[in-house]
Amino acid sequence: GQVSPNVVVVPVACCGKVPTLIRGTIRSQIAKAVPDAVVWLDFADTMKAMFGQTAGEPNVVVFDAEGRLRMKIHGTPDQAAMDRLTRTVQDLRYEAVK
């Protein structure tokens, strides 16, 4: 009878280390391209350094509610990776209602 906890998806644009003057242009382009969504901009290569994100490819990183890394996928996910992602999200929802 309990409601399943929400999952929040936050896209992160890994922009790399760009000059400060260029950052405003990138922000404007992202805001224009996706006006109805929040997109975090990573200008410090934090995602690449901490989680091994691969430039130019899809990357998925899953954190739990405590901010702990629970899963990461690099490159275009195949069916097995999508199944693991689904299981990971379901496991996190189960943990949240225990």
Coordinates of all heavy atoms in Angstrom, one line a residue:
G1 N 0.8 -1.2 0.0 CA 0.0 0.0 0.0 C 0.8 1.3 0.0 O 0.3 2.3 0.1
Q2 N 2.2 1.1 -0.1 CA 3.0 2.3 -0.1 C 3.3 2.8 -1.5 O 3.4 2.0 -2.4 CB 4.4 2.1 0.6 CG 4.2 1.8 2.1 CD 5.6 1.6 2.7 OE1 6.5 1.1 2.0 NE2 5.7 1.9 4.0
V3 N 3.5 4.1 -1.6 CA 3.9 4.7 -2.9 C 5.4 4.4 -3.1 O 6.2 4.6 -2.2 CB 3.6 6.2 -2.9 CG1 4.0 6.8 -4.2 CG2 2.1 6.4 -2.7
S4 N 5.7 4.0 -4.3 CA 7.1 3.8 -4.7 C 7.8 5.1 -4.7 O 7.3 6.1 -5.3 CB 7.2 3.1 -6.1 OG 8.5 2.9 -6.4
P5 N 9.0 5.2 -4.2 CA 9.8 6.4 -4.2 C 10.1 6.9 -5.6 O 10.3 6.1 -6.5 CB 11.1 6.1 -3.4 CG 10.8 4.8 -2.7 CD 9.7 4.1 -3.4
N6 N 10.2 8.2 -5.8 CA 10.5 8.7 -7.1 C 11.9 8.5 -7.5 O 12.8 8.4 -6.6 CB 10.2 10.2 -7.1 CG 8.8 10.6 -7.0 OD1 7.9 9.8 -7.4 ND2 8.5 11.7 -6.4
V7 N 12.1 8.4 -8.8 CA 13.5 8.4 -9.3 C 13.6 9.7 -10.1 O 12.8 10.1 -10.8 CB 13.7 7.2 -10.3 CG1 15.0 7.3 -11.0 CG2 13.5 5.9 -9.6
V8 N 14.7 10.3 -9.9 CA 15.0 11.6 -10.5 C 16.1 11.4 -11.5 O 17.2 10.9 -11.2 CB 15.4 12.7 -9.5 CG1 15.7 14.0 -10.1 CG2 14.3 12.9 -8.4
V9 N 15.8 11.9 -12.7 CA 16.8 11.8 -13.8 C 17.3 13.2 -14.0 O 16.6 14.1 -14.3 CB 16.2 11.2 -15.1 CG1 17.2 11.2 -16.2 CG2 15.7 9.8 -14.8
V10 N 18.7 13.4 -14.0 CA 19.3 14.7 -14.2 C 20.3 14.6 -15.3 O 21.3 13.9 -15.1 CB 19.9 15.2 -12.9 CG1 20.6 16.6 -13.2 CG2 18.9 15.3 -11.8
P11 N 20.1 15.2 -16.4 CA 21.1 15.1 -17.5 C 22.2 16.0 -17.1 O 22.0 17.1 -16.6 CB 20.4 15.6 -18.7 CG 19.1 16.2 -18.3 CD 18.8 15.8 -16.9
V12 N 23.4 15.6 -17.4 CA 24.6 16.4 -17.1 C 25.4 16.5 -18.5 O 25.7 15.5 -19.1 CB 25.6 15.7 -16.1 CG1 26.8 16.5 -15.9 CG2 24.8 15.4 -14.8
A13 N 25.6 17.7 -18.8 CA 26.4 18.0 -20.0 C 27.9 18.2 -19.6 O 28.2 19.1 -18.9 CB 25.9 19.3 -20.7
C14 N 28.7 17.2 -20.0 CA 30.1 17.3 -19.7 C 30.8 18.1 -20.8 O 31.1 17.7 -21.8 CB 30.7 15.9 -19.7 SG 29.9 14.8 -18.4
C15 N 31.0 19.4 -20.4 CA 31.5 20.4 -21.4 C 33.0 20.5 -21.4 O 33.6 21.0 -22.3 CB 30.9 21.8 -21.0 SG 29.1 21.8 -21.0
G16 N 33.6 20.0 -20.4 CA 35.1 20.1 -20.3 C 35.5 21.4 -19.8 O 34.7 22.3 -19.5
K17 N 36.8 21.6 -19.7 CA 37.4 22.9 -19.3 C 37.4 23.8 -20.4 O 38.2 23.7 -21.3 CB 38.8 22.6 -18.7 CG 38.7 21.7 -17.5 CD 40.1 21.4 -16.9 CE 39.9 20.5 -15.7 NZ 41.1 20.1 -15.1
V18 N 36.5 24.8 -20.4 CA 36.4 25.8 -21.4 C 36.6 27.2 -20.8 O 36.4 27.4 -19.6 CB 35.0 25.8 -22.2 CG1 34.8 24.5 -22.9 CG2 33.9 26.0 -21.2
P19 N 37.1 28.1 -21.6 CA 37.3 29.5 -21.0 C 36.0 30.1 -20.5 O 34.9 29.8 -21.0 CB 37.8 30.3 -22.3 CG 38.3 29.3 -23.2 CD 37.5 28.0 -23.0
T20 N 36.2 30.8 -19.4 CA 35.0 31.4 -18.7 C 34.1 32.2 -19.7 O 32.9 32.1 -19.6 CB 35.5 32.4 -17.6 OG1 36.4 31.6 -16.7 CG2 34.4 32.9 -16.8
L21 N 34.7 32.9 -20.7 CA 33.9 33.7 -21.6 C 33.0 32.8 -22.5 O 31.9 33.2 -22.9 CB 34.8 34.5 -22.5 CG 35.6 35.6 -21.8 CD1 36.5 36.3 -22.8 CD2 34.6 36.7 -21.3
I22 N 33.4 31.6 -22.7 CA 32.6 30.6 -23.5 C 31.4 30.0 -22.7 O 30.4 29.6 -23.3 CB 33.5 29.5 -24.1 CG1 34.6 30.2 -24.9 CG2 32.7 28.6 -25.0 CD1 34.2 31.0 -26.1
R23 N 31.6 29.9 -21.4 CA 30.6 29.2 -20.6 C 29.2 29.8 -20.8 O 28.2 29.1 -20.8 CB 31.0 29.3 -19.1 CG 32.2 28.4 -18.9 CD 32.6 28.5 -17.5 NE 33.8 27.7 -17.3 CZ 34.4 27.4 -16.1 NH1 33.8 27.9 -15.0 NH2 35.5 26.8 -16.0
G24 N 29.1 31.2 -20.8 CA 27.8 31.8 -21.0 C 27.1 31.4 -22.3 O 25.9 31.2 -22.3
T25 N 27.9 31.3 -23.4 CA 27.4 30.9 -24.6 C 26.8 29.4 -24.6 O 25.7 29.1 -25.1 CB 28.5 31.0 -25.7 OG1 28.9 32.3 -25.8 CG2 27.9 30.5 -27.1
I26 N 27.6 28.6 -23.9 CA 27.1 27.2 -23.8 C 25.9 27.1 -22.9 O 24.9 26.4 -23.3 CB 28.3 26.3 -23.1 CG1 29.4 26.2 -24.1 CG2 27.7 25.0 -22.7 CD1 30.7 25.5 -23.5
R27 N 25.8 27.9 -21.8 CA 24.6 27.9 -21.0 C 23.4 28.4 -21.8 O 22.3 27.8 -21.7 CB 24.8 28.9 -19.8 CG 25.6 28.3 -18.7 CD 25.6 29.3 -17.5 NE 26.5 28.8 -16.5 CZ 27.7 29.2 -16.3 NH1 28.2 30.2 -17.1 NH2 28.5 28.7 -15.3
S28 N 23.6 29.4 -22.6 CA 22.5 29.9 -23.5 C 22.0 28.9 -24.5 O 20.8 28.7 -24.7 CB 22.9 31.2 -24.2 OG 23.2 32.2 -23.3
Q29 N 22.9 28.2 -25.1 CA 22.6 27.2 -26.1 C 21.9 26.0 -25.5 O 20.9 25.5 -26.0 CB 23.9 26.7 -26.8 CG 24.5 27.7 -27.7 CD 25.8 27.2 -28.3 OE1 26.4 26.3 -27.8 NE2 26.2 27.9 -29.4
I30 N 22.3 25.6 -24.3 CA 21.6 24.4 -23.6 C 20.2 24.9 -23.2 O 19.2 24.2 -23.4 CB 22.4 24.0 -22.4 CG1 23.8 23.4 -22.8 CG2 21.6 23.0 -21.6 CD1 23.7 22.1 -23.5
A31 N 20.1 26.1 -22.6 CA 18.8 26.6 -22.2 C 17.8 26.7 -23.4 O 16.6 26.4 -23.2 CB 19.0 27.9 -21.5
K32 N 18.3 27.1 -24.5 CA 17.5 27.2 -25.7 C 17.1 25.8 -26.2 O 15.9 25.6 -26.6 CB 18.2 28.0 -26.8 CG 17.3 28.3 -28.0 CD 18.1 29.1 -29.1 CE 18.4 30.5 -28.6 NZ 19.1 31.3 -29.7
A33 N 18.0 24.9 -26.2 CA 17.8 23.6 -26.7 C 16.8 22.8 -25.8 O 16.0 22.0 -26.4 CB 19.1 22.8 -26.9
V34 N 16.9 22.9 -24.5 CA 16.0 22.2 -23.6 C 15.4 23.1 -22.6 O 15.8 23.1 -21.4 CB 16.8 21.0 -22.9 CG1 17.0 19.9 -23.9 CG2 18.1 21.4 -22.3
P35 N 14.5 24.0 -23.0 CA 14.0 25.0 -22.0 C 13.1 24.4 -20.9 O 13.0 25.1 -19.9 CB 13.1 25.9 -22.9 CG 12.7 25.0 -24.1 CD 13.9 24.0 -24.3
D36 N 12.6 23.2 -21.0 CA 11.7 22.7 -20.0 C 12.4 21.7 -19.1 O 11.8 21.0 -18.3 CB 10.6 22.0 -20.6 CG 9.7 22.9 -21.5 OD1 9.7 24.1 -21.1 OD2 9.1 22.5 -22.5
A37 N 13.8 21.6 -19.1 CA 14.5 20.7 -18.3 C 15.7 21.3 -17.6 O 16.2 22.3 -18.1 CB 15.0 19.5 -19.1
V38 N 16.0 20.8 -16.5 CA 17.3 21.2 -15.8 C 18.4 20.4 -16.3 O 18.3 19.1 -16.4 CB 17.1 21.0 -14.3 CG1 18.4 21.3 -13.6 CG2 16.0 21.9 -13.7
V39 N 19.5 21.0 -16.8 CA 20.7 20.3 -17.2 C 21.8 20.9 -16.4 O 22.1 22.1 -16.4 CB 20.9 20.5 -18.7 CG1 22.2 19.8 -19.2 CG2 19.7 20.0 -19.5
W40 N 22.5 20.0 -15.7 CA 23.7 20.4 -15.0 C 24.9 20.5 -16.0 O 25.1 19.6 -16.8 CB 24.1 19.4 -13.9 CG 23.1 19.4 -12.7 CD1 22.1 20.3 -12.5 CD2 23.1 18.5 -11.6 NE1 21.4 20.0 -11.4 CE2 22.0 18.9 -10.8 CE3 23.9 17.5 -11.3 CZ2 21.7 18.3 -9.6 CZ3 23.6 16.8 -10.1 CH2 22.5 17.2 -9.3
L41 N 25.7 21.5 -15.9 CA 26.8 21.7 -16.8 C 28.1 21.5 -16.0 O 28.3 22.1 -15.0 CB 26.8 23.1 -17.4 CG 25.5 23.5 -18.1 CD1 25.6 25.0 -18.6 CD2 25.3 22.6 -19.3
D42 N 28.9 20.5 -16.5 CA 30.1 20.2 -15.8 C 31.3 20.8 -16.6 O 31.7 20.3 -17.6 CB 30.3 18.6 -15.8 CG 31.6 18.2 -15.2 OD1 32.3 19.0 -14.6 OD2 31.8 16.9 -15.2
F43 N 31.8 21.9 -16.1 CA 32.9 22.6 -16.8 C 34.2 22.3 -16.1 O 35.2 22.8 -16.5 CB 32.7 24.2 -16.6 CG 31.6 24.7 -17.5 CD1 30.5 25.3 -16.8 CD2 31.6 24.6 -18.8 CE1 29.4 25.8 -17.6 CE2 30.5 25.1 -19.6 CZ 29.5 25.7 -19.0
A44 N 34.2 21.4 -15.2 CA 35.5 21.0 -14.5 C 35.9 19.6 -14.8 O 36.8 19.1 -14.1 CB 35.3 21.2 -13.0
D45 N 35.2 18.9 -15.7 CA 35.5 17.5 -16.0 C 35.4 16.6 -14.7 O 36.1 15.6 -14.6 CB 36.9 17.3 -16.6 CG 37.0 17.6 -18.0 OD1 35.9 17.5 -18.7 OD2 38.1 17.8 -18.6
T46 N 34.5 17.0 -13.8 CA 34.3 16.2 -12.6 C 33.8 14.8 -12.9 O 34.2 13.9 -12.3 CB 33.4 17.0 -11.7 OG1 33.9 18.3 -11.4 CG2 33.1 16.3 -10.4
M47 N 32.8 14.8 -13.7 CA 32.2 13.5 -14.0 C 33.2 12.5 -14.7 O 33.2 11.3 -14.4 CB 30.9 13.6 -14.9 CG 29.8 14.4 -14.3 SD 29.1 13.6 -12.8 CE 28.3 12.2 -13.5
K48 N 34.0 13.1 -15.6 CA 35.0 12.3 -16.2 C 36.1 11.8 -15.2 O 36.5 10.6 -15.2 CB 35.7 13.1 -17.4 CG 36.7 12.3 -18.1 CD 37.3 13.1 -19.2 CE 38.4 12.4 -20.0 NZ 39.0 13.2 -21.0
A49 N 36.5 12.7 -14.4 CA 37.6 12.4 -13.4 C 37.1 11.4 -12.3 O 37.8 10.5 -12.0 CB 38.1 13.7 -12.8
M50 N 35.9 11.6 -11.9 CA 35.4 10.8 -10.8 C 34.7 9.5 -11.2 O 34.8 8.5 -10.5 CB 34.4 11.6 -9.9 CG 35.1 12.7 -9.2 SD 33.9 13.6 -8.1 CE 33.7 12.4 -6.8
F51 N 34.1 9.5 -12.4 CA 33.3 8.3 -12.8 C 33.7 7.8 -14.1 O 33.0 6.8 -14.6 CB 31.8 8.7 -12.7 CG 31.4 9.3 -11.4 CD1 31.1 10.6 -11.3 CD2 31.4 8.5 -10.3 CE1 30.7 11.2 -10.1 CE2 31.0 9.0 -9.1 CZ 30.7 10.4 -9.0
G52 N 34.7 8.3 -14.8 CA 35.2 7.7 -16.0 C 34.3 7.9 -17.2 O 34.3 7.1 -18.1
Q53 N 33.5 9.0 -17.2 CA 32.6 9.2 -18.4 C 33.4 9.3 -19.7 O 34.5 9.8 -19.7 CB 31.9 10.5 -18.2 CG 31.0 10.6 -16.9 CD 30.1 9.5 -16.7 OE1 30.5 8.4 -16.3 NE2 28.8 9.7 -17.1
T54 N 32.8 8.8 -20.7 CA 33.5 8.7 -22.0 C 32.9 9.8 -22.9 O 31.7 9.9 -23.1 CB 33.2 7.3 -22.7 OG1 33.6 6.3 -21.8 CG2 33.9 7.2 -24.0
A55 N 33.8 10.7 -23.4 CA 33.3 11.8 -24.2 C 32.7 11.3 -25.5 O 33.1 10.3 -26.1 CB 34.5 12.7 -24.5
G56 N 31.6 12.0 -25.9 CA 31.0 11.7 -27.2 C 30.1 10.4 -27.2 O 29.6 10.0 -28.2
E57 N 29.9 9.8 -26.0 CA 29.1 8.6 -25.9 C 28.0 8.8 -24.8 O 28.3 9.5 -23.9 CB 29.9 7.4 -25.6 CG 30.8 7.0 -26.7 CD 31.5 5.6 -26.4 OE1 31.0 4.9 -25.5 OE2 32.5 5.3 -27.1
P58 N 26.9 8.0 -24.9 CA 26.0 8.1 -23.8 C 26.6 7.5 -22.5 O 27.4 6.5 -22.6 CB 24.8 7.2 -24.2 CG 25.0 7.0 -25.7 CD 26.5 7.2 -26.0
N59 N 26.4 8.1 -21.4 CA 26.9 7.6 -20.1 C 25.7 7.7 -19.1 O 25.0 8.6 -19.1 CB 28.0 8.5 -19.6 CG 29.2 8.4 -20.5 OD1 30.0 7.5 -20.3 ND2 29.4 9.4 -21.4
V60 N 25.6 6.6 -18.3 CA 24.6 6.6 -17.3 C 25.2 6.4 -15.9 O 26.0 5.4 -15.8 CB 23.5 5.5 -17.5 CG1 22.5 5.5 -16.4 CG2 22.8 5.7 -18.8
V61 N 24.9 7.2 -14.9 CA 25.5 7.0 -13.6 C 24.3 7.0 -12.7 O 23.4 7.9 -12.7 CB 26.5 8.1 -13.2 CG1 27.1 7.9 -11.9 CG2 27.6 8.3 -14.3
V62 N 24.2 6.0 -11.8 CA 23.1 5.9 -10.8 C 23.6 6.1 -9.4 O 24.6 5.4 -9.0 CB 22.4 4.6 -10.9 CG1 21.3 4.5 -9.9 CG2 21.8 4.4 -12.4
F63 N 23.0 7.1 -8.7 CA 23.4 7.3 -7.3 C 22.2 7.0 -6.4 O 21.0 7.1 -6.9 CB 23.7 8.8 -7.1 CG 24.9 9.2 -7.8 CD1 24.8 9.9 -9.1 CD2 26.2 9.0 -7.4 CE1 25.9 10.3 -9.8 CE2 27.3 9.4 -8.1 CZ 27.2 10.0 -9.3
D64 N 22.4 6.5 -5.2 CA 21.3 6.4 -4.3 C 21.0 7.7 -3.6 O 21.6 8.7 -3.9 CB 21.5 5.2 -3.3 CG 22.7 5.5 -2.4 OD1 23.1 6.6 -2.2 OD2 23.2 4.5 -1.8
A65 N 20.0 7.7 -2.7 CA 19.5 8.9 -2.0 C 20.6 9.5 -1.1 O 20.6 10.7 -0.8 CB 18.3 8.6 -1.2
E66 N 21.6 8.7 -0.8 CA 22.7 9.1 0.1 C 23.9 9.7 -0.8 O 24.9 10.1 -0.2 CB 23.2 8.0 1.0 CG 22.1 7.5 1.9 CD 21.7 8.5 2.9 OE1 22.5 9.3 3.4 OE2 20.4 8.5 3.2
G67 N 23.7 9.6 -2.1 CA 24.8 10.1 -3.0 C 25.9 9.1 -3.3 O 26.9 9.5 -3.8
R68 N 25.6 7.8 -3.0 CA 26.6 6.8 -3.2 C 26.4 6.3 -4.7 O 25.3 6.0 -5.1 CB 26.5 5.7 -2.2 CG 26.8 6.1 -0.8 CD 26.5 4.9 0.1 NE 25.0 4.7 0.1 CZ 24.3 4.3 1.1 NH1 24.9 4.1 2.3 NH2 23.0 4.1 1.0
L69 N 27.5 6.0 -5.4 CA 27.5 5.5 -6.7 C 27.0 4.0 -6.6 O 27.5 3.2 -5.8 CB 28.9 5.5 -7.3 CG 29.0 4.9 -8.7 CD1 28.3 5.7 -9.7 CD2 30.5 4.8 -9.1
R70 N 26.0 3.7 -7.4 CA 25.4 2.4 -7.4 C 25.6 1.6 -8.7 O 25.6 0.4 -8.8 CB 24.0 2.4 -7.1 CG 23.7 3.0 -5.7 CD 24.3 2.1 -4.6 NE 23.6 0.9 -4.3 CZ 22.6 0.7 -3.4 NH1 22.3 1.7 -2.6 NH2 22.0 -0.4 -3.3
M71 N 25.8 2.4 -9.8 CA 25.9 1.8 -11.1 C 26.4 2.8 -12.1 O 26.1 4.0 -12.0 CB 24.6 1.2 -11.6 CG 24.6 0.6 -12.9 SD 23.0 0.1 -13.4 CE 23.3 -0.6 -15.0
K72 N 27.2 2.3 -13.1 CA 27.5 3.2 -14.2 C 27.6 2.4 -15.5 O 28.0 1.2 -15.5 CB 28.8 4.0 -14.0 CG 30.0 3.2 -13.7 CD 31.2 4.1 -13.4 CE 32.4 3.3 -13.0 NZ 33.5 4.2 -12.7
I73 N 27.2 3.0 -16.6 CA 27.2 2.4 -17.9 C 27.9 3.4 -18.8 O 27.6 4.6 -18.8 CB 25.8 2.2 -18.4 CG1 25.0 1.3 -17.5 CG2 25.8 1.6 -19.9 CD1 23.5 1.2 -17.9
H74 N 28.9 2.9 -19.6 CA 29.5 3.8 -20.6 C 29.2 3.3 -22.0 O 29.2 2.1 -22.2 CB 31.1 3.7 -20.4 CG 31.5 4.2 -19.0 ND1 31.3 5.5 -18.6 CD2 32.0 3.5 -18.0 CE1 31.8 5.6 -17.4 NE2 32.2 4.4 -17.0
G75 N 28.9 4.2 -22.9 CA 28.6 3.8 -24.3 C 27.1 3.5 -24.4 O 26.3 3.5 -23.4
T76 N 26.7 3.2 -25.6 CA 25.3 2.9 -25.8 C 24.9 1.6 -25.1 O 25.5 0.6 -25.4 CB 25.0 2.7 -27.4 OG1 25.4 4.0 -28.0 CG2 23.5 2.5 -27.6
P77 N 23.9 1.7 -24.2 CA 23.5 0.5 -23.5 C 22.8 -0.6 -24.3 O 22.0 -0.3 -25.2 CB 22.5 1.0 -22.4 CG 22.2 2.4 -22.8 CD 23.1 2.8 -23.8
D78 N 23.2 -1.8 -24.1 CA 22.6 -2.9 -24.8 C 21.4 -3.4 -23.9 O 21.2 -2.9 -22.8 CB 23.5 -4.1 -25.2 CG 24.3 -4.6 -23.9 OD1 23.9 -4.3 -22.8 OD2 25.3 -5.4 -24.1
Q79 N 20.7 -4.5 -24.3 CA 19.6 -5.0 -23.5 C 20.0 -5.4 -22.1 O 19.4 -5.2 -21.1 CB 18.9 -6.1 -24.2 CG 17.6 -6.5 -23.5 CD 16.6 -5.3 -23.4 OE1 16.3 -4.7 -24.4 NE2 16.1 -5.1 -22.2
A80 N 21.2 -6.1 -22.0 CA 21.7 -6.5 -20.7 C 21.9 -5.3 -19.8 O 21.6 -5.4 -18.6 CB 23.0 -7.4 -20.9
A81 N 22.5 -4.3 -20.3 CA 22.8 -3.1 -19.5 C 21.4 -2.4 -19.1 O 21.3 -2.0 -17.9 CB 23.6 -2.1 -20.3
M82 N 20.5 -2.4 -20.0 CA 19.2 -1.8 -19.6 C 18.5 -2.7 -18.5 O 17.8 -2.1 -17.6 CB 18.3 -1.7 -20.9 CG 18.8 -0.7 -21.9 SD 19.0 1.0 -21.1 CE 17.3 1.4 -20.7
D83 N 18.6 -4.0 -18.6 CA 18.1 -4.8 -17.6 C 18.7 -4.6 -16.2 O 18.0 -4.5 -15.2 CB 18.2 -6.3 -18.0 CG 17.4 -6.7 -19.2 OD1 16.4 -5.9 -19.5 OD2 17.6 -7.8 -19.8
R84 N 20.1 -4.4 -16.2 CA 20.8 -4.1 -15.0 C 20.3 -2.8 -14.4 O 20.1 -2.6 -13.2 CB 22.3 -4.1 -15.2 CG 22.9 -5.4 -15.3 CD 24.4 -5.4 -15.3 NE 24.9 -4.4 -16.3 CZ 25.8 -3.4 -16.1 NH1 26.4 -3.3 -15.0 NH2 26.1 -2.6 -17.1
L85 N 20.1 -1.8 -15.3 CA 19.7 -0.5 -14.9 C 18.3 -0.6 -14.2 O 18.1 0.0 -13.2 CB 19.6 0.5 -16.1 CG 19.1 1.9 -15.8 CD1 19.9 2.6 -14.8 CD2 19.0 2.7 -17.1
T86 N 17.4 -1.3 -14.9 CA 16.0 -1.5 -14.3 C 16.1 -2.1 -13.0 O 15.4 -1.7 -12.0 CB 15.2 -2.3 -15.3 OG1 15.1 -1.6 -16.6 CG2 13.8 -2.5 -14.8
R87 N 16.9 -3.2 -12.8 CA 17.0 -3.9 -11.6 C 17.6 -3.0 -10.5 O 17.2 -3.0 -9.3 CB 17.9 -5.1 -11.7 CG 17.2 -6.4 -12.1 CD 18.0 -7.7 -11.9 NE 19.4 -7.6 -12.4 CZ 19.8 -7.7 -13.7 NH1 18.8 -8.0 -14.6 NH2 21.0 -7.7 -14.0
T88 N 18.6 -2.2 -10.9 CA 19.2 -1.3 -9.9 C 18.2 -0.3 -9.4 O 18.2 0.0 -8.2 CB 20.5 -0.6 -10.5 OG1 21.4 -1.5 -10.9 CG2 21.1 0.4 -9.6
V89 N 17.5 0.3 -10.3 CA 16.5 1.3 -9.9 C 15.4 0.6 -9.0 O 15.0 1.2 -7.9 CB 15.8 2.0 -11.1 CG1 14.6 2.8 -10.7 CG2 16.8 2.8 -11.8
Q90 N 15.0 -0.6 -9.4 CA 14.0 -1.3 -8.5 C 14.5 -1.6 -7.2 O 13.8 -1.5 -6.2 CB 13.5 -2.5 -9.3 CG 12.6 -2.2 -10.5 CD 11.4 -1.5 -10.1 OE1 11.4 -0.3 -10.1 NE2 10.3 -2.2 -9.8
D91 N 15.8 -2.1 -7.1 CA 16.4 -2.4 -5.8 C 16.5 -1.1 -4.9 O 16.3 -1.2 -3.7 CB 17.8 -2.9 -6.0 CG 17.8 -4.3 -6.6 OD1 16.8 -5.0 -6.7 OD2 18.9 -4.8 -7.1
L92 N 16.8 0.0 -5.5 CA 16.9 1.3 -4.8 C 15.5 1.7 -4.2 O 15.4 2.1 -3.1 CB 17.5 2.4 -5.6 CG 19.0 2.2 -5.9 CD1 19.4 3.3 -6.9 CD2 19.8 2.4 -4.6
R93 N 14.5 1.5 -5.0 CA 13.1 1.8 -4.6 C 12.8 0.8 -3.4 O 12.2 1.3 -2.4 CB 12.1 1.6 -5.7 CG 12.2 2.7 -6.7 CD 11.2 2.5 -7.8 NE 11.0 3.7 -8.6 CZ 10.5 3.7 -9.8 NH1 10.1 2.6 -10.3 NH2 10.4 4.9 -10.4
Y94 N 13.1 -0.4 -3.5 CA 12.8 -1.4 -2.5 C 13.6 -1.0 -1.2 O 13.0 -1.0 -0.1 CB 13.3 -2.8 -2.9 CG 13.1 -3.8 -1.8 CD1 11.8 -4.3 -1.5 CD2 14.2 -4.3 -1.1 CE1 11.7 -5.2 -0.5 CE2 14.0 -5.3 -0.1 CZ 12.8 -5.7 0.2 OH 12.6 -6.6 1.2
E95 N 14.8 -0.6 -1.3 CA 15.6 -0.2 -0.1 C 15.0 1.0 0.5 O 15.0 1.1 1.8 CB 17.0 0.1 -0.5 CG 17.9 -1.1 -0.9 CD 19.3 -0.6 -1.4 OE1 19.7 0.5 -1.1 OE2 19.9 -1.5 -2.0
A96 N 14.4 1.9 -0.3 CA 13.9 3.2 0.3 C 12.6 2.9 1.1 O 12.3 3.7 2.0 CB 13.6 4.1 -0.9
V97 N 11.9 1.9 0.9 CA 10.7 1.6 1.6 C 10.8 0.6 2.7 O 9.8 0.3 3.4 CB 9.5 1.2 0.7 CG1 9.2 2.4 -0.3 CG2 9.8 -0.1 -0.1
K98 N 12.0 0.0 2.9 CA 12.2 -0.9 4.0 C 12.1 -0.3 5.3 O 12.4 0.8 5.6 CB 13.6 -1.6 3.8 CG 13.7 -2.6 2.8 CD 14.8 -3.6 2.9 CE 16.2 -3.0 2.8 NZ 17.3 -3.9 2.8

